[in-house]
Amino acid sequence: VLELLAIGAALLGARRLARTHGRWERGARGEERVGAILDGLSGEGWLALHDLPFERGNIDHVLVGPGGLFTIETKSHRGRIHAARIDESMLRQALAEGRRVEQATGRRVEPLLVFSRAYLLPAVSRRGGVTVLPARMLPKYLTRYGRVLSPWEVGALGERVSRALG
């Protein structure tokens, strides 16, 4: 009987571990997808920094470019998501990451919450100081900022972020 209970507990633990691993793997793929989009902007003067340490986790991406300074928290949820129903903890996390980079650089940061696979309604929204949008809209969204940083400022600010958080 004890052996059967031990086997059952092991199977239950393995199932939970598989679910957790699956979520982690989906999250990593989502971050890689967003990272590839950001890296694709380098020809337009953008510098993407990935996976920077932050408190008990990481900042998925920091983007420095002609349009300014952005932190990007990536979520890999899929399906149709109503912006009004996004979990407040996701917004707080994105806002805290933005504030941390502001403290490190002394520059204004725009925190973004980017969904790598979801269809958002509305497509772009602002909640609690955080802009929420799907990954596919990132390049277009960033172009609306125009040019606020010179190429020299982009490099210097990217170096400051790397030294402070890297």
Side-chain angles (χ1 to χ4, degrees):
V1 172
L2 287 176
E3 289 175 352
L4 288 176
L5 286 174
I7 291 170
L11 289 174
L12 183 60
R15 218 181 256 161
R16 283 188 182 148
L17 182 61
R19 279 195 307 266
T20 300
H21 179 71
R23 280 193 300 268
W24 180 87
E25 194 173 309
R26 273 192 313 277
R29 280 196 310 267
E31 287 179 30
E32 288 171 0
R33 179 170 183 235
V34 170
I37 291 169
L38 299 175
D39 288 341
L41 298 171
S42 65
E44 298 169 38
W46 292 89
L47 171 66
L49 305 167
H50 309 287
D51 199 25
L52 300 169
F54 176 69
E55 294 175 3
R56 287 173 277 159
N58 71 324
I59 299 174
D60 294 334
H61 314 280
V62 174
L63 186 65
V64 186
L69 180 60
F70 301 81
T71 53
I72 299 168
E73 174 59 28
T74 304
K75 297 298 178 190
S76 64
H77 298 66
R78 58 183 158 188
R80 188 174 296 235
I81 298 176
H82 293 270
R85 295 188 190 135
I86 290 173
D87 188 330
E88 291 290 326
S89 67
M90 293 180 194
L91 298 168
R92 284 192 305 271
Q93 179 182 7
L95 194 58
E97 292 169 357
R99 287 184 178 147
R100 173 64 182 104
V101 173
E102 281 182 351
Q103 290 170 349
T105 63
R107 298 292 299 243
R108 184 185 169 283
V109 173
E110 167 130 13
L112 305 177
L113 178 60
V114 174
F115 286 83
S116 63
R117 304 181 317 154
Y119 181 83
L120 293 171
L121 298 169
V124 179
S125 62
R126 188 136 177 99
R127 290 206 39 224
V130 176
T131 300
V132 181
L133 69 156
R136 64 183 168 74
M137 294 189 73
L138 260 172
K140 183 179 178 183
Y141 177 79
L142 294 167
T143 61
R144 68 181 272 224
Y145 283 89
R147 187 167 291 278
V148 297
L149 295 176
S150 72
W152 183 86
E153 290 172 309
V154 169
L157 193 51
E159 181 63 33
R160 192 173 339 159
V161 171
S162 288
R163 273 187 277 130
L165 300 175

